[in-house]
Amino acid sequence: ASTVPVTDNSAVVQADIQTSKPAAMLLLLALFAAANAQSNHVVYTYITPVGASQQAYPIGVCVNYEITIGANFTPVNAFGVFSCNTAGDQVTLTQYGTDDTCSGTSTGSEVVSSPASFECNGSDNYVVTDGCTANTGTGSETTCCDSTCLPATQATGVCVDLGTTDSDGNNQYQMVTCDAFSTSTMTYTTSDCSGTGTAFSSSAYNTCEFYVTQIIYDIYLRMHYCYENGQEISEDCYCSDTPTCSPTTAAPTAAPTTAAPTGSPTAPTTAAPTTAAPTDTVGSGAAHYHAVYAVVLSVAFMFIS
């Protein structure tokens, strides 16, 4: 009988395993770092005619950081880009006046002094939400929120200290999140936004969701874009010039002034419509609310002046 020689490769296999361990560890560490990377952001005070609030802005993105009321009560929006220095230890706001593309000549710049929070070495994660107005009861608002709109851009996954307390005296914090279909803003009483939060606002990409009534105008929200690691992950085909996905509704998802939102995004709004003036007891989510409300104020002043 013939004998087939058997080669002992155990030493070679063991050497390969030892060689591959460092590479595997580096890969695992890279994946872990990517999964746990903070969002690039800076917490900055958003100023509007109806109040100021803390908001987490993304880095390197054109954003609306201030709104004032100009001549004839016309809202004046100020746009700019936050950027980090090479060392990643300082944030600068480059201002572009009313240029909502931030592509023209800069009107000035300022170093953000002692921000409550900022990150320059993380991931580019942020959401753009449209806040739009429509005349109460006219039924003129479409599912795409294509009337008078103002976009709000916020960094996601950042726990923002609102500097306020709830009725029980607990400090309040807020975090905005988004995915391919919807965005939500949650309020927490923990400094890292852990535990169970309270829904403050929400919107989806495929519906113009009723948010609140102010004076004679309803305010609607619709998520426009969601970015994760610098890439758009949202299904924005719904309201494009040539839609490629099917609409799910043909009318506003809630009855203005009398009904709570009927959409089903990630975290449904729990508050019923109100006609009370906004307060500063909410922060990053309220920044968007304040901006749209300033538009409403300007229109209302035109009617009563």
Side-chain angles (χ1 to χ4, degrees), residues 281-300:
T281 58
V282 287
S284 58
H288 179 219
Y289 173 32
H290 284 164
V292 178
Y293 186 61
V295 177
V296 175
L297 277 180
S298 66
V299 175

Side-chain angles (χ1 to χ4, degrees), residues 62-300:
C62 187
V63 299
N64 170 220
Y65 67 90
E66 184 179 80
I67 183 169
T68 56
I69 298 298
N72 298 320
F73 301 105
T74 303
V76 180
N77 297 293
F79 295 88
V81 177
F82 292 95
S83 59
C84 296
N85 62 353
T86 303
D89 58 5
Q90 180 176 285
V91 177
T92 298
L93 169 61
T94 302
Q95 301 148 337
Y96 289 90
T98 57
D99 179 5
D100 60 3
T101 65
C102 298
S103 59
T105 303
S106 168
T107 59
S109 65
E110 66 175 55
V111 174
V112 180
S113 178
S114 302
S117 171
F118 72 96
E119 175 62 52
C120 294
N121 299 305
S123 301
D124 293 327
N125 307 314
Y126 60 94
V127 63
V128 181
T129 306
D130 286 336
C132 309
T133 60
N135 204 5
T136 300
T138 63
S140 62
E141 191 59 49
T142 68
T143 52
C144 288
C145 285
D146 57 2
S147 63
T148 304
C149 299
L150 182 68
T153 306
Q154 298 164 285
T156 56
V158 180
C159 192
V160 178
D161 185 351
L162 303 183
T164 60
T165 58
D166 62 15
S167 57
D168 296 323
N170 299 309
N171 292 331
Q172 292 182 302
Y173 305 85
Q174 211 163 66
M175 179 183 287
V176 180
T177 58
C178 69
D179 56 28
F181 307 102
S182 61
T183 178
S184 66
T185 301
M186 305 290 289
T187 303
Y188 300 84
T189 56
T190 52
S191 59
D192 60 353
C193 293
S194 61
T196 302
T198 302
F200 171 73
S201 67
S202 62
S203 63
Y205 80 97
N206 64 346
T207 179
C208 188
E209 185 173 346
F210 175 71
Y211 177 44
V212 72
T213 298
Q214 291 296 337
I215 311 177
I216 61 170
Y217 280 82
D218 293 330
I219 298 175
Y220 295 79
L221 300 180
R222 186 182 82 88
M223 186 184 81
H224 205 151
Y225 305 110
C226 178
Y227 282 81
E228 185 175 288
N229 295 321
Q231 300 295 317
E232 183 186 352
I233 64 170
S234 48
E235 299 286 348
D236 192 47
C237 57
Y238 181 71
C239 288
S240 63
D241 292 334
T242 54
T244 56
C245 48
S246 300
T248 55
T249 57
T253 57
T257 71
T258 59
T262 58
S264 55
T266 304
T269 305
T270 57
T274 175
T275 55
T279 67
D280 294 323
T281 58
V282 287
S284 58
H288 179 219
Y289 173 32
H290 284 164
V292 178
Y293 186 61
V295 177
V296 175
L297 277 180
S298 66
V299 175

